[in-house]
């Protein structure tokens, strides 16, 4: 064995490894190099290896918001950094510092079982702690940005670690600087969450609880969210998918008025400047719910989710995506935008969920 191969083995780097197990759409592409990391020292050594070998680096967490469309060159790191630290600050506030590789739903369960409020509405969202800020995960009226105090990052080229304040992360609807200007330089290693020991429950989101239900508790809201999600969203361990495949589009008030005149049932939410439409409704009403195209399809209980029944590669899904986008555009004049991140990107590295 030559020296390089020996070095790669010591670092746990596998060559030409399948990514099948590391993306919930279950597409079978390869990583040129792949390593599963569970300690910071190992992560630093891998970044050093990639810099020395002039290899690009891509980090994957749960792989649940990811659309892999081709083999990935360079080093793919699977983030399995683990650990939860708790600091009860006073009678009202708790700080939880969570390593990036922790499973997100496990973090929610941990908080709810300790009676800490703030993330119960985000139960059962697939993926890891480190991926959550990248797309600012959200559900039932809550987004991770609402409870996130700081993010610990590692600088890809120097291996240095630092903390970034939540308010500086550029959080927006399913978006942050981690998806944008920082994507080539920073990977998330831990997140600090600010939770409450006694707080109001957020029940405003339609369909979560009956409007006048004052019996709700932290546990009942958590359970209700799990129940609603299990009814509407496919569990990726049984049916391959990447959650919502499209973002809910924003359109102008004028456009929404025209659409309302033609489609009185249009599901829309007025914001300050514009109007947000339910992409699931648009796709559903355009007749796509439950439809199949080759080995992929539109989920029959939630039209926003595309599922993979039997494909090994992404081509059929990309074709279905194009057909849906075209049909929604022709019917409503609305251009849908994809939610999951595509891999590989045309250039350089990317930090992904
Ligand atoms: N709708 C339909 N048909 C469908 C799906 C939805 O008519 O097939 C209508 C529903 O009746 C409802 C509206 O669309 O009036 C909104 O549907 P829902 O409450 O299910 O939420 P969503 O807008 O489809 C968003 C998030 C989900 C999150 C839910 C709940 C995005 C892209 N998706 O979906 O997030 O769980 O709200 O808060 O914002 C994810 O990001 O992967 C994800 C699942």
């Amino acid at each position: 064995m030559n020296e390089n191969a020996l070095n790669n083995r010591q670092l746990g780097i596998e060559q030409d490894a399948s990514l099948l197990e590391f993306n919930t759409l279950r597409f079978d592409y390869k990583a040129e190099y792949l390593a599963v990391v569970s300690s910071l020292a190992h992560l630093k050594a891998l970044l050093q290896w990639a810099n020395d070998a002039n290899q690009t680096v891509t980090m994957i967490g749960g792989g649940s918001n990811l659309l892999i469309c081709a083999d990935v060159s360079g080093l793919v790191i699977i983030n399995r950094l683990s650990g939860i630290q708790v600091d009860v600050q006073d009678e009202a506030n708790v700080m939880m510092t969570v390593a990036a590789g922790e499973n997100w739903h496990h973090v929610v369960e941990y908080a709810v079982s300790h009676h800490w409020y703030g993330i119960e509405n985000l139960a059962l969202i697939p993926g890891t702690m480190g991926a959550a800020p990248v797309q600012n995960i959200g559900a039932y009226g809550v987004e991770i940005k609402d409870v996130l105090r700081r993010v610990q990052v590692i600088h890809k080229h120097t291996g240095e670690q630092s903390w970034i304040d939540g308010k500086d992360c550029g959080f927006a609807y399913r978006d942050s600087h981690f998806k944008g200007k920082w994507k080539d330089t920073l990977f998330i290693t831990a997140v600090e969450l600010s939770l409450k020991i006694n707080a109001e429950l957020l029940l405003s989101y339609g369909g979560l609880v009956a409007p006048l239900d004052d019996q709700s508790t932290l546990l009942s809201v958590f359970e209700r969210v799990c129940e609603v999600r299990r009814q509407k969203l496919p569990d990726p361990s049984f049916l391959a998918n990447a959650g919502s495949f499209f973002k809910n589009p924003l359109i102008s008030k004028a456009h929404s008025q025209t659409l309302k005149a033609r489609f009185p049932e249009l599901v829309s939410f007025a914001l300050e400047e514009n109007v947000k439409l339910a992409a699931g409704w648009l796709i559903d009403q355009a007749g796509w719910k439950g439809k199949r195209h080759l080995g992929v399809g539109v989920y029959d209980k939630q039209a926003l989710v595309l599922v993979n029944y039997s494909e090994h590669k992404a081509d059929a899904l990309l074709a279905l995506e194009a057909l849906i986008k075209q049909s929604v555009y022709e019917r409503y004049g609305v251009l849908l935008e994809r939610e999951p991140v595509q891999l590989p990107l045309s250039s350089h590295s990317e930090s992904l969920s």
Side-chain angles (χ1 to χ4, degrees), residues 135 138-141 173-174 205 229 232-233 242-244 246-248 267 269 278 280-281 284 289 301-304 339:
Q135 57 150 344
Y140 310 108
Y173 169 60
R174 296 298 192 276
Y205 193 90
R229 287 189 77 93
K232 284 193 179 180
L233 298 165
S244 299
F246 299 100
K247 290 187 187 182
N248 286 327
V267 180
F269 311 90
W281 187 90
D284 186 351
K289 204 174 195 168
K301 298 192 190 79
Q302 162 59 290
L304 202 47
E339 218 240 285

Side-chain angles (χ1 to χ4, degrees), residues 263-277:
F263 305 99
E265 308 292 308
L266 181 83
V267 180
S268 64
F269 311 90
L271 305 177
E272 260 172 48
E273 306 263 297
N274 34 30
V275 176
K276 190 187 255 187
L277 300 183

Side-chain angles (χ1 to χ4, degrees), residues 59-76:
M59 189 180 269
I60 295 182
S64 53
N65 196 45
L66 198 57
L67 172 61
I68 309 182
C69 298
D71 290 344
V72 183
S73 58
L75 174 65
V76 173

Side-chain angles (χ1 to χ4, degrees), residues 151-190:
V151 179
Q152 188 193 49
V153 295
I154 191 161
H155 295 248
K156 212 181 83 174
H157 299 294
T158 62
E160 274 169 34
Q161 285 185 278
S162 57
W163 287 93
I164 303 175
D165 250 49
K167 64 176 169 17
D168 299 325
C169 293
F171 289 127
Y173 169 60
R174 296 298 192 276
D175 203 12
S176 76
H177 291 328
F178 298 105
K179 252 183 162 178
K181 65 179 181 183
W182 294 337
K183 70 177 194 268
D184 288 331
T185 45
L186 302 180
F187 291 135
I188 295 172
T189 48

